[in-house]
Amino acid sequence: NAGVTQTPKFRVLKTGQSMTLLCAQDMNHEYMYWYRQDPGMGLRLIHYSVGEGTTAKGEVPDGYNVSRLKKQNFLLGLESAAPSQTSVYFCASSQRLAGVPGELFFGEGSRLTVL
Amino acid sequence: SQQGEEDPQALSIQEGENATMNCSYKTSINNLQWYRQNSGRGLVHLILIRSNEREKHSGRLRVTLDTSKKSSSLLITASRAADTASYFCAIRDSSYKLIFGSGTRLLVRP
């Protein structure tokens, strides 16, 4: 039982390049989330999903796209990377408790640098 | 935004002392959660307190919630060096989103 796994853990991009971060969870959780964390700051919600085939915007969705084609996977895409997207990205998942998300289980993060 | 705001931003205490961190928010909530983050790692869930609860305990952790003041506090008793980490509150309103505050950095000196 690996929990929440993020790949890659580190990546360096040039401005304008594209890439996809993969999040996989093996806990059969309904809800999945992508956050970004900048130095010395809290987490900001980018996009989230309440179930397979569904996605929704969070606090800072611009410049990112997501897909949840399979329940266990949640992909975060950057179509044209910008230096402002340099950050640590965290994926999290949560099971449904009484119809609402419970506690979040986090991956170890993906550190992205855009030059 | 209903983002939680933690106070203080940083806290330095001696091992064995108690540490108190506070979280204030702006809107009605469904629940409030506290998480811990060790340097360079993912966040780990500590406690969830629902809007109809006033206090919860878990080991050396005690969380209180005052919905009239829109605030919560996290108390860590008898702190240890291993408690050194950043602590975040997170707010869930009526949606499926969980919004985090900016955190309190706790340093426990041996």
Side-chain angles (χ1 to χ4, degrees):
Chain A
N1 189 335
V4 179
T5 304
Q6 295 181 225
T7 52
K9 291 183 170 51
F10 301 93
R11 183 75 187 270
V12 178
L13 289 177
K14 295 181 179 179
T15 297
Q17 288 185 318
S18 63
M19 75 158 296
T20 299
L21 297 176
L22 170 64
C23 177
Q25 53 95 4
D26 60 3
M27 298 172 283
N28 200 35
H29 284 174
E30 291 292 333
Y31 308 102
M32 297 188 74
Y33 303 81
W34 275 108
Y35 290 89
R36 62 176 287 175
Q37 184 177 34
D38 298 304
M41 297 181 66
L43 278 69
R44 289 185 291 170
L45 180 62
I46 305 172
H47 286 280
Y48 64 102
S49 169
V50 301
E52 182 179 322
T54 71
T55 63
K57 295 180 179 179
E59 300 173 277
V60 288
D62 294 342
Y64 305 95
N65 57 75
V66 288
S67 64
R68 183 107 180 263
L69 299 179
K70 294 182 178 180
K71 185 177 184 179
Q72 63 268 34
N73 296 336
F74 195 30
L75 280 64
L76 178 70
L78 285 72
E79 292 186 346
S80 179
S84 61
Q85 294 178 304
T86 293
S87 190
V88 181
Y89 291 84
F90 288 98
C91 177
S93 70
S94 171
Q95 64 179 329
R96 180 178 298 168
L97 293 175
V100 297
E103 67 178 269
L104 296 186
F105 291 81
F106 280 85
E108 288 299 310
S110 297
R111 186 176 298 275
L112 175 65
T113 301
V114 183
L115 303 176
Chain B
S1 168
Q2 64 272 28
Q3 181 185 33
E5 298 289 340
E6 284 96 337
D7 171 62
Q9 291 186 340
L11 181 60
S12 179
I13 60 173
Q14 202 73 33
E15 199 165 29
E17 294 179 338
N18 295 342
T20 300
M21 289 158 265
N22 302 296
C23 173
S24 60
Y25 56 92
K26 297 177 182 178
T27 63
S28 298
I29 62 170
N30 177 281
N31 66 62
L32 185 147
Q33 302 179 30
W34 286 91
Y35 288 79
R36 184 179 85 179
Q37 183 181 35
N38 290 96
S39 181
R41 306 297 300 274
L43 279 72
V44 175
H45 179 265
L46 297 175
I47 287 184
L48 181 154
I49 186 165
R50 293 182 170 80
S51 59
N52 60 353
E53 297 175 315
R54 292 297 168 257
E55 187 171 310
K56 288 191 80 169
H57 296 256
S58 176
R60 293 183 296 112
L61 306 180
R62 172 178 165 245
V63 168
T64 61
L65 178 65
D66 187 335
T67 53
S68 66
K69 295 182 178 178
K70 291 186 167 53
S71 67
S72 173
S73 67
L74 170 66
L75 169 66
I76 303 174
T77 60
S79 63
R80 306 166 181 168
D83 294 328
T84 293
S86 292
Y87 293 81
F88 296 91
C89 70
I91 308 298
R92 182 180 306 288
D93 57 13
S94 57
S95 74
Y96 298 106
K97 296 181 287 187
L98 193 64
I99 304 298
F100 284 80
S102 54
T104 293
R105 296 186 306 279
L106 174 65
L107 172 65
V108 182
R109 304 187 305 275

